[in-house]
């Protein structure tokens, strides 16, 4: 059923601004067993492992030729450029917030990011029915980061620990706007790579209810990929935008 009322559209736009503060700073795991979802951690990378450079990571990001039915754009204009732009009020929640913003969740300067969005034009048979339908597509924020030694494994542990420590939520300041994550919980991960962590976050939509979003982090060797998907048209509806499995598969498949 179409949600075409002016009030609903206005609420959607207002809530999208708050959500983008969480993921862009531009406006307002886990194992299948144990307590987590996903694969068990594989053998530790050697202490001699060296992080890839940012330039090397850029070459590993998905391009349009890597995945059909999606548009791929540089993350420079849609994602925060540094961790200083994304400030949670609890230190243990920082890896979660950074992952959701496409930033490196751990201690490294080697990172790169972009956005992968559904290309509805490639399959569309008609124009969107209304203004709101134009926003009914999934956009996934993808981040890559690389670490020396066992830094990637330590980062995955920090993420897992953060899910438990931040279960009651945390405050977040991004580009001068404040938002509130009301809760954090483990979610089912894809199980790809050597280790994967997934978590859901409830976000206060500035008095318009709470929306829930999912982030997944996958480690392959000493490189980590982060994925976060948002659908602006679904904000405030109770519907959770799922991270496209084909995006995760394609990106992890390019990692060394």
């Amino acid at each position: 059923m179409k949600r075409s009322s002016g009030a609903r559209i206005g609420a959607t736009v207002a809530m999208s601004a708050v959500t983008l503060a969480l993921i862009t700073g531009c406006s307002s795991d886990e194992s299948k067993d144990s307590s987590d979802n996903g694969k068990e951690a594989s053998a530790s990378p050697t202490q001699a492992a060296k992080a890839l450079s940012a330039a090397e990571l850029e070459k590993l990001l998905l391009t349009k030729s890597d995945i059909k039915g999606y548009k791929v754009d540089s993350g420079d204009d849609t994602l925060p450029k540094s961790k200083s732009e994304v400030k949670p009020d609890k230190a243990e929640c920082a890896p979660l917030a950074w992952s959701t913003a496409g930033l490196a969740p751990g201690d490294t300067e080697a990172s790169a990011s972009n956005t992968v969005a559904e290309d509805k034009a490639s399959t569309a048979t008609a124009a969107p029915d209304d203004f709101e339908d134009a926003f009914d597509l999934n956009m996934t924020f993808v981040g890559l980061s690389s670490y020396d030694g066992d830094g990637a494994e330590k980062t995955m542990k920090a993420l897992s620990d953060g899910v438990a420590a931040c279960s009651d939520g945390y405050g977040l300041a991004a580009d001068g706007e404040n938002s509130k994550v009301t809760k954090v919980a483990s979610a089912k991960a894809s199980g790809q790579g050597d280790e994967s962590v997934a978590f859901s976050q409830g976000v206060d939509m500035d008095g318009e209810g709470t929306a829930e979003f999912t982030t997944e982090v996958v480690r392959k060797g000493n490189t980590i990929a982060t994925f976060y998907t948002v659908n602006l048209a679904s904000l405030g509806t109770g519907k959770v935008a799922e991270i496209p499995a084909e995006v995760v598969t394609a990106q992890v498949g390019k990692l060394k």
Side-chain angles (χ1 to χ4, degrees):
M1 181 176 181
K2 300 298 181 185
R3 301 185 310 279
S4 56
S5 71
R8 172 60 70 185
I9 293 173
T12 297
V13 174
M15 289 185 287
S16 71
V18 177
T19 304
L20 289 177
L22 175 66
I23 60 179
T24 71
C26 294
S27 54
S28 105
D29 338 337
E30 314 209 18
S31 306
K32 289 180 181 176
D33 298 311
S34 71
S35 61
D36 306 334
N37 301 294
K39 286 187 177 180
E40 292 183 2
S42 65
S44 299
T46 65
Q47 293 296 321
K50 295 296 183 182
L52 297 175
S53 66
E56 290 173 317
L57 291 174
E58 288 281 356
K59 294 178 181 179
L60 294 177
L61 285 168
L62 288 177
T63 65
K64 187 173 177 59
S65 63
D66 294 321
I67 185 166
K68 294 182 179 180
Y70 288 86
K71 294 180 179 179
V72 181
D73 295 304
S74 168
D76 291 348
D77 295 330
T78 56
L79 295 170
K81 296 179 174 60
S82 72
K83 293 176 179 177
S84 64
E85 297 178 37
V86 181
K87 300 177 181 179
D89 61 4
K90 298 179 182 177
E92 58 269 37
C93 305
L96 309 182
W98 293 335
S99 297
T100 304
L103 296 166
D107 185 15
T108 181
E109 297 299 320
S111 64
S113 61
N114 65 2
T115 58
V116 181
E118 289 179 298
D119 186 4
K120 288 197 170 183
S122 65
T123 57
T125 58
D129 290 337
D130 55 32
F131 177 79
E132 192 173 358
D133 282 348
F135 288 94
D136 187 15
L137 57 81
N138 289 333
M139 176 180 289
T140 302
F141 297 82
V142 181
L144 297 181
S145 55
S146 191
Y147 304 79
D148 290 329
D150 61 353
E153 287 184 312
K154 289 180 177 178
T155 297
M156 296 298 285
K157 184 178 186 305
L159 285 161
S160 297
D161 291 345
V163 172
C166 303
S167 61
D168 291 335
Y170 59 95
L172 182 68
D175 195 28
E177 298 289 342
N178 295 318
S179 58
K180 173 66 177 178
V181 176
T182 60
K183 63 178 181 178
V184 178
S186 295
K188 184 177 181 180
S190 65
Q192 297 199 46
D194 297 322
E195 187 177 7
S196 57
V197 176
F199 53 92
S200 63
Q201 299 184 89
V203 180
D204 178 29
M205 292 288 114
D206 197 22
E208 296 289 343
T210 301
E212 188 169 309
F213 305 93
T214 302
T215 301
E216 178 165 4
V217 185
V218 179
R219 178 180 68 82
K220 187 171 181 181
N222 63 333
T223 298
I224 286 177
T226 64
F227 305 89
Y228 174 87
T229 299
V230 64
N231 183 308
L232 297 183
S234 69
L235 295 179
T237 66
K239 180 181 178 181
V240 179
E242 295 185 1
I243 299 170
E246 58 269 28
V247 172
V248 178
T249 297
Q251 181 60 83
V252 175
K254 292 191 70 173
L255 302 184
K256 297 179 179 179

